[in-house]
Amino acid sequence: MGVMRMGYAHVRVTDLAEAKAHYANTMGLYETHAEDGRVYYKGWDEWDHHSVVLEEGGVGVVKFGWKVRYSSDLDEIERRAQAFGVTVERMSRGENPEIGDGIRFTTPSEHVFEVYHEATLIGTEVGTHNPDAFPRHLVGVGVPGLDHALITAEDVKGMERFLTEVFDFYATERVQTSLEDDADYIGTWMTSNNQIHQLAVIGGPQGKLHHFAFKLGDWSEVGHAADLFSMDDVPIDVGPTRHGITRGQTVYFFDPSGNRNEVFAGGYLAYPDRPVHVWTPEQLGKGIFYHARELNDRFTTVLT
Amino acid sequence: MGVMRMGYAHVRVTDLAEAKAHYANTMGLYETHAEDGRVYYKGWDEWDHHSVVLEEGGVGVVKFGWKVRYSSDLDEIERRAQAFGVTVERMSRGENPEIGDGIRFTTPSEHVFEVYHEATLIGTEVGTHNPDAFPRHLVGVGVPGLDHALITAEDVKGMERFLTEVFDFYATERVQTSLEDDADYIGTWMTSNNQIHQLAVIGGPQGKLHHFAFKLGDWSEVGHAADLFSMDDVPIDVGPTRHGITRGQTVYFFDPSGNRNEVFAGGYLAYPDRPVHVWTPEQLGKGIFYHARELNDRFTTVLT
Amino acid sequence: MGVMRMGYAHVRVTDLAEAKAHYANTMGLYETHAEDGRVYYKGWDEWDHHSVVLEEGGVGVVKFGWKVRYSSDLDEIERRAQAFGVTVERMSRGENPEIGDGIRFTTPSEHVFEVYHEATLIGTEVGTHNPDAFPRHLVGVGVPGLDHALITAEDVKGMERFLTEVFDFYATERVQTSLEDDADYIGTWMTSNNQIHQLAVIGGPQGKLHHFAFKLGDWSEVGHAADLFSMDDVPIDVGPTRHGITRGQTVYFFDPSGNRNEVFAGGYLAYPDRPVHVWTPEQLGKGIFYHARELNDRFTTVLT
Amino acid sequence: MGVMRMGYAHVRVTDLAEAKAHYANTMGLYETHAEDGRVYYKGWDEWDHHSVVLEEGGVGVVKFGWKVRYSSDLDEIERRAQAFGVTVERMSRGENPEIGDGIRFTTPSEHVFEVYHEATLIGTEVGTHNPDAFPRHLVGVGVPGLDHALITAEDVKGMERFLTEVFDFYATERVQTSLEDDADYIGTWMTSNNQIHQLAVIGGPQGKLHHFAFKLGDWSEVGHAADLFSMDDVPIDVGPTRHGITRGQTVYFFDPSGNRNEVFAGGYLAYPDRPVHVWTPEQLGKGIFYHARELNDRFTTVLT
């Protein structure tokens, strides 16, 4: 049962034309739909109708969509969210284009989550019959799909409990004030499956977005993406480098509106029987940026 | 619920000393135990006591172990296997060193499967507290862990049904005689989670092993492994190359007893809502070896 | 003084339209000129007017061009070639489009060499002022330039002497029948500078081409090229793999006319004070294909 | 004729034991000799007796050695240096262990250069007879050899002229105050052959070392080196990243004494007929660090 993946990240951008140039021409997302000042995108290896939604006006995240394996998961998650004390509303087919019925609620961290079971499968260029390994003519970075997001919350430990109890997520890595049982949580990296993280939460203001990330295949693709960001004047925040946390290989950068994006490769397969990696403050720099081993101010303060 | 991963591959080798040199010095597995003519190994990124067991005498697979998330999964899988018509026996803690209670049965393909919920966590060199990205002094290829296996069966379609009904596996890729609904299955690649395959089955004699595979991080590591195989006189079967099926990057090679091994990197994240990739005979060569686009005799005939 | 590099490979193709699709769309060469049934190409990182010439009618090599550093080198090479017993003719500016005066002679291996000092610099997309690391919109494999060629000769030792005495080339690697001083040469890899080889010669019929090669940056690009060859139905001869000889990473493949091409990355910097690597027959397979460690018939018999 | 390569970098270190741990255990250099408080090293792919010399006491560069192809080059370079107005002294065999006769002079930038033709060839682990692609058991980063250095000078343009007139070097890339003919030079990257640079000079105090660099094979090796630097607590200055200038892929880091080192991969083949890449101040950040596109203070101020 349960959440299969983050199905979409719906974010605000200050200028839709600039944003489209970034997400289509540099990132190589495929535009699948546009209406009412919103543009819908998917990566080349995604089957569902969209995984990224841009909406003009401001910055930051509007909501995240989560796709569940069974329609019965919707009821179960509704029940659990209500048991946690969260108000849940029903979402109807079509409130999001090509997305089925579902539920919607605001998390304790003040982020809007939508949970759904159905999305129109619009397929990929390579298809399913003797498919090529990737489309022959990718654009720019050519990301295959959405990977994960990092959000901020005032109560990280509470959000870990929420995601555990409502979504059956488990932590793969965590930053704690110490190794003691009563330690505070500075950050938590969580998943429901083998993906090293689907959603991470770090301490900060309610309702904010630190970044959302696209998958890449390996370190060579990460380096190549960084080269293209220079050519396209995309501001790089940090990288290419490796994370200690998740071991992922990464570039952080900003879209033209100032929303932080990431390209992310590597990491290891998560399993629920694997002990949580715990990072403590004296090595937090190394946990976040394995090579530089120190945080920069921008990384910790720029949120949208 | 369900199967988390292939926990161990237990295989026969003709000469234990030669085999140990291969699995320890070339592959870089860690020996964790030895008794009664059996040697137990794990990869550097595996927490459980062992993932590979070598047993002197002959070649081929003795059995595969499958680790489940919850102890209640054992009962459920037992019930399902019996419903499928398979005889299930109970396995006691200690029948395999450091492995808990479980069940054992012979699949319709005549392979022995053991299913268990508990294994002694013996940990890794990097540990869980501010862990480094990998151990500083890896040996040889330095594989992080076991990945999957490919076995042969007279009735591939039957085995897909068995793995679906008993293990809740789903097919990610398949080779069929055609795209018709009543097509025969030549091979099926199956998983329970996001790993692109945990077990694949191709048509062939009952009870045989085509290969078992170790994970690697990326194409550079695959190339480096191939270089080390040459230095260590490990016979390479095919590769480095890419598979069309799974998109994985690979080298096939033989252990000193003639069991085929693989190092495998890449592939894409599997999801149960993603349509199955279906390969048909006219492109089977490309499906198996994406670059050469043709099978070699050895690949299709050498089994252990 | 001396030869800076192989400036161009001029080859015959059976069908110019098919060839253009291969060299332009798959290899990503830039067409710079066409006249009289000939098409001229350069790679994205080459400044001279062309490095590949295709001429309709047959297969195989018409001639190789060699660019020298100083115009006085033309006289010196003419003198040396004549001293070696080779007839040299003067070549006038314009006999090859955008190529200056030079000399022309037939080598003892019956290949036509042209030597010149001037070529029109037509530049590159990235230019010289704050240049980007590569053009933003490369096509297909996007090769930066021509790298080297391998030709056949009845007398390999004689050709090594010729290239040494006339071109000041030195051998970096050699295949010999033994390590004895009087060993015969099966192949020789030669250069004038730090490139691991500019021209290699193996035993075989006079005047034939084994392959000509394009540069690539690294093993990831070699793997990516192999993927594109599958998508574009380019027949792969061997690879991706590594050579023992030169340590280069490689894919051999055929153009639509059956001329063998290579993409080549890596290798080490050659220096004239470095001892020659000598390969002997018992390890020749490993020398040519470091992973498979055996030659295939096609590799040794298909020449154009 | 001429300079083949930077043969050795002889530097001071404050603590020889710490330095040995860095250069031997982390960088993987082979110690070939030790005497009089000096330790001599070579990389695995270097044939000459040493390429790095450590001398206890202070920091910075003692001298650079340059190996020439012909012994007659010594006379020619002596003549040219004297013509430039530099005092040249003769250096005797044995003044540097296993290095032949030569000349010594102080450059206009106040760096000591030694030029020599002979060094004892002590060979490599893989040897020359059917050699493996690299030694089977490399230590740490396992650098194949010394690559280049960057020094500072008050008069960059004067040093470019000196290296041109005395060493027959040519500039491959340059940073100028403008594109005008009378522009000042902020930095120049120079070579005598196909290596993208053997010595670079940037404006700064006389006689100082910015860094000396070791070769690596590709971007994957650069990333792996950065990982090892974190494990070994080697302070990273910048990287992994790419340079716009030279296109090389890089990590800058510090030895325990504070001398800056680099690992450097990629770059393109230099040719004297290729136009110089010219960078101007508005893009200097991108020229130095292609991804971050800005210099950090440490990079421009920390010299030894």
Side-chain angles (χ1 to χ4, degrees):
Chain A
M1 96 104 221
V3 173
M4 286 194 297
R5 64 178 170 271
M6 179 181 288
Y8 49 82
H10 181 145
V11 298
R12 290 186 200 88
V13 295
T14 50
D15 181 303
L16 202 51
E18 283 180 352
K20 288 173 69 168
H22 173 76
Y23 287 98
N25 300 348
T26 297
M27 303 312 297
L29 293 172
Y30 292 62
E31 182 178 326
T32 59
H33 187 64
E35 70 173 50
D36 296 340
R38 292 178 189 147
V39 188
Y40 298 78
Y41 290 101
K42 63 179 277 301
W44 70 259
D45 202 22
E46 292 175 323
W47 278 81
D48 287 350
H49 180 265
H50 60 264
S51 61
V52 171
V53 185
L54 305 181
E55 174 174 331
E56 195 159 37
V59 293
V61 61
V62 176
K63 60 191 180 184
F64 294 108
W66 301 93
K67 191 175 187 189
V68 294
R69 181 159 185 185
Y70 300 112
S71 69
S72 58
D73 294 326
L74 297 174
D75 302 323
E76 175 68 14
I77 290 172
E78 179 176 40
R79 195 188 59 69
R80 291 177 178 205
Q82 286 167 338
F84 200 93
V86 162
T87 303
V88 179
E89 64 179 44
R90 282 277 158 179
M91 170 175 97
S92 300
R93 175 180 306 275
E95 292 186 34
N96 296 285
E98 310 295 333
I99 301 292
D101 295 335
I103 58 175
R104 181 185 298 116
F105 53 84
T106 299
T107 65
S109 61
E110 296 179 22
H111 296 86
V112 176
F113 280 15
E114 292 176 344
V115 189
Y116 60 99
H117 170 55
E118 290 179 337
T120 303
L121 287 188
I122 61 169
T124 71
E125 270 190 78
V126 297
T128 57
H129 183 208
N130 301 327
D132 268 315
F134 48 85
R136 176 64 176 82
H137 296 283
L138 288 172
V139 172
V141 177
V143 294
L146 181 66
D147 193 77
H148 69 267
L150 171 57
I151 58 175
T152 57
E154 288 178 358
D155 178 6
V156 174
K157 198 176 236 175
M159 268 303 282
E160 181 176 311
R161 192 164 63 83
F162 177 78
L163 291 165
T164 303
E165 294 185 10
V166 176
F167 268 9
D168 248 354
F169 275 20
Y170 63 96
T172 57
E173 309 232 358
R174 199 184 286 131
V175 182
Q176 300 180 181
T177 51
S178 75
L179 292 182
E180 303 303 312
D181 283 350
D182 61 350
D184 262 350
Y185 293 1
I186 296 167
T188 184
W189 281 253
M190 302 195 75
T191 194
S192 64
N193 52 23
N194 304 120
Q195 203 185 337
I196 190 61
H197 59 327
Q198 294 175 47
L199 186 69
V201 185
I202 57 171
Q206 295 284 91
K208 289 293 186 181
L209 174 70
H210 186 276
H211 71 266
F212 64 104
F214 298 98
K215 296 179 204 303
L216 279 183
D218 63 20
W219 176 238
S220 288
E221 292 185 13
V222 169
H224 188 249
D227 290 339
L228 296 181
F229 295 151
S230 277
M231 293 178 190
D232 287 0
D233 292 322
V234 173
I236 287 181
D237 184 21
V238 179
T241 189
R242 182 194 284 282
H243 297 300
I245 297 167
T246 74
R247 300 183 195 148
Q249 295 160 319
T250 178
V251 180
Y252 284 124
F253 52 101
F254 294 101
D255 78 4
S257 305
N259 294 302
R260 192 188 281 99
N261 290 172
E262 183 185 23
V263 284
F264 181 90
Y268 55 96
L269 279 193
Y271 289 110
D273 65 332
R274 185 184 172 108
V276 179
H277 287 197
V278 179
W279 297 80
T280 43
E282 75 280 11
Q283 292 288 323
L284 179 55
K286 189 172 179 178
I288 303 293
F289 300 126
Y290 193 65
H291 300 141
R293 283 161 266 166
E294 59 183 16
L295 299 179
N296 63 45
D297 284 346
R298 189 171 51 200
F299 181 80
T300 51
T301 57
V302 175
L303 305 169
T304 59
Chain B
M1 97 102 220
V3 172
M4 286 192 296
R5 64 178 169 273
M6 179 180 288
Y8 49 82
H10 181 147
V11 297
R12 291 186 201 87
V13 295
T14 51
D15 181 302
L16 202 50
E18 284 180 352
K20 288 174 68 170
H22 173 75
Y23 288 98
N25 300 349
T26 298
M27 303 312 298
L29 293 172
Y30 292 63
E31 183 179 326
T32 59
H33 187 63
E35 72 173 50
D36 297 339
R38 291 177 189 149
V39 188
Y40 297 79
Y41 290 101
K42 64 179 277 301
W44 71 258
D45 202 23
E46 293 175 323
W47 277 80
D48 288 349
H49 180 265
H50 60 264
S51 62
V52 171
V53 185
L54 305 181
E55 175 174 329
E56 195 159 37
V59 292
V61 63
V62 175
K63 59 191 181 186
F64 293 108
W66 300 94
K67 192 174 186 188
V68 294
R69 181 156 184 187
Y70 300 112
S71 69
S72 58
D73 294 326
L74 297 174
D75 302 323
E76 176 67 13
I77 290 173
E78 179 176 39
R79 195 188 60 68
R80 292 178 177 203
Q82 287 167 338
F84 200 93
V86 161
T87 302
V88 179
E89 64 180 46
R90 281 278 158 178
M91 171 176 94
S92 300
R93 175 179 306 275
E95 289 186 36
N96 294 285
E98 309 295 334
I99 301 292
D101 296 333
I103 58 175
R104 181 186 297 116
F105 54 82
T106 300
T107 64
S109 61
E110 296 180 21
H111 296 87
V112 177
F113 279 15
E114 292 176 344
V115 188
Y116 60 99
H117 170 55
E118 291 179 337
T120 303
L121 286 189
I122 62 171
T124 70
E125 270 189 77
V126 297
T128 55
H129 183 208
N130 301 327
D132 268 315
F134 48 86
R136 176 65 176 79
H137 296 283
L138 288 171
V139 172
V141 177
V143 293
L146 182 67
D147 193 77
H148 70 268
L150 171 57
I151 59 175
T152 58
E154 288 177 359
D155 178 6
V156 174
K157 198 175 236 176
M159 269 303 283
E160 181 175 311
R161 193 165 61 84
F162 177 79
L163 291 165
T164 303
E165 295 186 9
V166 176
F167 268 11
D168 249 354
F169 275 21
Y170 63 96
T172 56
E173 309 232 358
R174 201 184 285 131
V175 182
Q176 301 181 180
T177 50
S178 76
L179 292 182
E180 303 303 314
D181 285 349
D182 62 350
D184 261 350
Y185 292 1
I186 296 168
T188 184
W189 281 252
M190 302 195 75
T191 194
S192 65
N193 52 24
N194 304 118
Q195 203 184 336
I196 188 63
H197 59 328
Q198 295 175 46
L199 187 68
V201 185
I202 57 171
Q206 294 284 91
K208 290 294 187 182
L209 174 69
H210 186 278
H211 71 266
F212 65 102
F214 298 99
K215 297 179 205 303
L216 280 182
D218 63 19
W219 176 238
S220 288
E221 292 186 13
V222 168
H224 188 248
D227 289 340
L228 296 181
F229 295 152
S230 277
M231 293 180 190
D232 286 1
D233 293 321
V234 173
I236 286 179
D237 185 21
V238 179
T241 188
R242 182 194 285 280
H243 298 299
I245 298 168
T246 75
R247 300 183 196 149
Q249 294 160 319
T250 178
V251 180
Y252 284 125
F253 53 101
F254 294 102
D255 78 5
S257 305
N259 294 303
R260 192 186 281 99
N261 291 172
E262 183 184 23
V263 285
F264 180 91
Y268 55 96
L269 278 193
Y271 289 110
D273 66 331
R274 187 184 170 105
V276 179
H277 287 198
V278 180
W279 297 79
T280 43
E282 75 280 11
Q283 291 288 324
L284 179 56
K286 189 172 178 178
I288 303 294
F289 300 127
Y290 193 65
H291 300 142
R293 283 161 267 165
E294 60 184 14
L295 299 179
N296 63 48
D297 284 347
R298 191 171 50 200
F299 181 79
T300 52
T301 58
V302 174
L303 305 169
T304 59
Chain C
M1 97 104 220
V3 173
M4 286 193 296
R5 64 178 170 271
M6 179 181 287
Y8 50 81
H10 181 146
V11 298
R12 291 187 200 88
V13 297
T14 51
D15 181 302
L16 202 50
E18 284 180 353
K20 287 173 68 169
H22 173 75
Y23 288 97
N25 299 348
T26 298
M27 303 313 297
L29 293 172
Y30 293 62
E31 183 178 327
T32 58
H33 187 63
E35 72 172 48
D36 297 339
R38 292 178 189 147
V39 188
Y40 297 79
Y41 291 101
K42 64 179 276 304
W44 70 259
D45 201 23
E46 291 174 324
W47 277 79
D48 286 350
H49 179 266
H50 60 265
S51 62
V52 171
V53 185
L54 306 181
E55 175 174 329
E56 194 158 37
V59 293
V61 62
V62 175
K63 60 190 181 186
F64 293 109
W66 301 94
K67 191 174 187 189
V68 295
R69 182 157 184 186
Y70 300 111
S71 70
S72 58
D73 294 326
L74 296 174
D75 301 323
E76 175 68 13
I77 290 172
E78 179 176 39
R79 196 189 58 71
R80 291 178 178 204
Q82 287 167 337
F84 200 92
V86 162
T87 303
V88 179
E89 63 179 47
R90 281 277 158 178
M91 172 175 95
S92 299
R93 176 179 306 274
E95 291 186 36
N96 295 285
E98 310 295 333
I99 302 292
D101 295 334
I103 58 175
R104 181 185 297 115
F105 54 83
T106 300
T107 65
S109 61
E110 296 179 23
H111 295 87
V112 176
F113 280 16
E114 292 176 343
V115 188
Y116 61 100
H117 170 55
E118 291 179 337
T120 303
L121 287 189
I122 61 171
T124 70
E125 270 189 78
V126 297
T128 55
H129 183 207
N130 301 326
D132 268 315
F134 48 87
R136 176 64 177 81
H137 296 283
L138 288 171
V139 172
V141 176
V143 293
L146 181 67
D147 193 77
H148 69 267
L150 171 56
I151 59 175
T152 57
E154 288 178 358
D155 178 6
V156 173
K157 198 176 238 175
M159 268 303 282
E160 181 176 311
R161 193 165 62 84
F162 177 79
L163 291 164
T164 303
E165 294 186 9
V166 177
F167 268 9
D168 250 355
F169 275 20
Y170 64 96
T172 56
E173 309 232 358
R174 201 186 283 133
V175 182
Q176 300 182 181
T177 51
S178 76
L179 293 182
E180 303 303 312
D181 284 349
D182 62 350
D184 261 351
Y185 292 1
I186 296 166
T188 185
W189 281 252
M190 302 194 75
T191 194
S192 65
N193 52 24
N194 305 119
Q195 203 185 336
I196 190 61
H197 60 327
Q198 294 176 46
L199 186 68
V201 185
I202 57 170
Q206 295 285 91
K208 290 293 186 181
L209 174 70
H210 186 277
H211 71 266
F212 64 103
F214 298 98
K215 295 179 205 303
L216 280 182
D218 63 20
W219 175 238
S220 288
E221 292 185 14
V222 168
H224 188 249
D227 289 340
L228 296 182
F229 295 152
S230 277
M231 293 179 190
D232 286 0
D233 292 321
V234 174
I236 287 180
D237 185 21
V238 179
T241 188
R242 183 194 285 281
H243 297 299
I245 298 167
T246 74
R247 300 183 196 149
Q249 294 160 320
T250 178
V251 180
Y252 284 126
F253 53 100
F254 294 102
D255 78 5
S257 305
N259 294 303
R260 191 186 282 100
N261 291 172
E262 183 184 22
V263 284
F264 181 91
Y268 54 96
L269 278 193
Y271 288 110
D273 65 332
R274 184 183 172 108
V276 179
H277 287 197
V278 180
W279 297 80
T280 43
E282 74 280 11
Q283 292 287 325
L284 180 55
K286 188 172 179 178
I288 303 294
F289 300 126
Y290 194 65
H291 300 140
R293 283 162 268 165
E294 59 183 16
L295 299 179
N296 63 46
D297 283 347
R298 189 170 52 199
F299 181 79
T300 52
T301 57
V302 175
L303 305 170
T304 59
Chain D
M1 97 102 221
V3 173
M4 286 193 297
R5 64 178 169 273
M6 179 181 287
Y8 49 82
H10 181 145
V11 298
R12 290 187 200 89
V13 296
T14 51
D15 180 304
L16 202 51
E18 284 180 352
K20 288 173 69 169
H22 173 75
Y23 288 98
N25 300 347
T26 297
M27 303 313 297
L29 293 172
Y30 292 63
E31 182 178 327
T32 59
H33 187 64
E35 71 173 49
D36 296 340
R38 292 180 188 146
V39 189
Y40 297 78
Y41 291 101
K42 63 179 277 303
W44 71 259
D45 202 23
E46 291 175 324
W47 278 80
D48 286 349
H49 179 266
H50 60 264
S51 62
V52 171
V53 185
L54 306 180
E55 175 175 329
E56 195 159 36
V59 292
V61 62
V62 176
K63 59 191 180 185
F64 294 108
W66 300 94
K67 193 175 186 189
V68 295
R69 182 158 185 185
Y70 300 111
S71 70
S72 58
D73 293 327
L74 297 174
D75 302 323
E76 176 67 14
I77 290 172
E78 179 176 40
R79 196 188 59 69
R80 292 179 178 202
Q82 287 168 337
F84 200 93
V86 161
T87 303
V88 180
E89 64 180 45
R90 281 278 158 178
M91 170 175 95
S92 300
R93 175 180 306 276
E95 291 186 34
N96 295 285
E98 310 295 332
I99 301 293
D101 295 334
I103 58 174
R104 180 185 299 116
F105 54 83
T106 299
T107 65
S109 61
E110 296 179 23
H111 296 86
V112 177
F113 280 15
E114 292 176 343
V115 189
Y116 61 99
H117 171 54
E118 290 180 338
T120 303
L121 286 190
I122 61 170
T124 71
E125 271 189 77
V126 298
T128 56
H129 183 207
N130 301 326
D132 269 316
F134 48 85
R136 176 65 176 79
H137 296 282
L138 288 172
V139 172
V141 176
V143 293
L146 181 66
D147 194 77
H148 69 268
L150 171 56
I151 58 175
T152 56
E154 289 178 359
D155 179 5
V156 173
K157 199 176 235 176
M159 268 303 282
E160 181 176 311
R161 191 164 63 84
F162 177 79
L163 291 165
T164 303
E165 295 186 10
V166 177
F167 268 9
D168 249 354
F169 275 20
Y170 64 96
T172 57
E173 309 232 358
R174 201 185 284 131
V175 181
Q176 300 181 181
T177 50
S178 76
L179 293 183
E180 303 303 312
D181 284 349
D182 62 349
D184 260 350
Y185 293 2
I186 296 167
T188 184
W189 281 251
M190 303 195 75
T191 194
S192 64
N193 53 23
N194 304 120
Q195 203 185 335
I196 190 61
H197 58 329
Q198 294 174 46
L199 187 69
V201 184
I202 56 171
Q206 294 285 90
K208 290 293 186 181
L209 174 70
H210 185 277
H211 71 268
F212 64 103
F214 298 98
K215 295 179 204 305
L216 280 182
D218 63 20
W219 175 239
S220 289
E221 292 185 14
V222 168
H224 188 249
D227 289 340
L228 296 181
F229 295 152
S230 277
M231 293 180 191
D232 287 0
D233 293 322
V234 174
I236 287 180
D237 184 22
V238 179
T241 190
R242 183 195 285 280
H243 297 299
I245 297 168
T246 75
R247 300 182 196 148
Q249 294 160 321
T250 178
V251 180
Y252 284 125
F253 52 102
F254 294 101
D255 79 4
S257 305
N259 293 303
R260 193 186 280 100
N261 291 171
E262 183 185 23
V263 285
F264 180 90
Y268 55 96
L269 279 192
Y271 288 109
D273 65 331
R274 185 183 172 108
V276 179
H277 287 196
V278 179
W279 297 79
T280 42
E282 74 280 11
Q283 292 287 324
L284 180 56
K286 189 172 180 178
I288 302 293
F289 300 127
Y290 194 65
H291 300 141
R293 282 161 267 166
E294 59 184 14
L295 299 178
N296 63 46
D297 283 346
R298 190 170 51 200
F299 182 80
T300 51
T301 58
V302 175
L303 305 170
T304 60

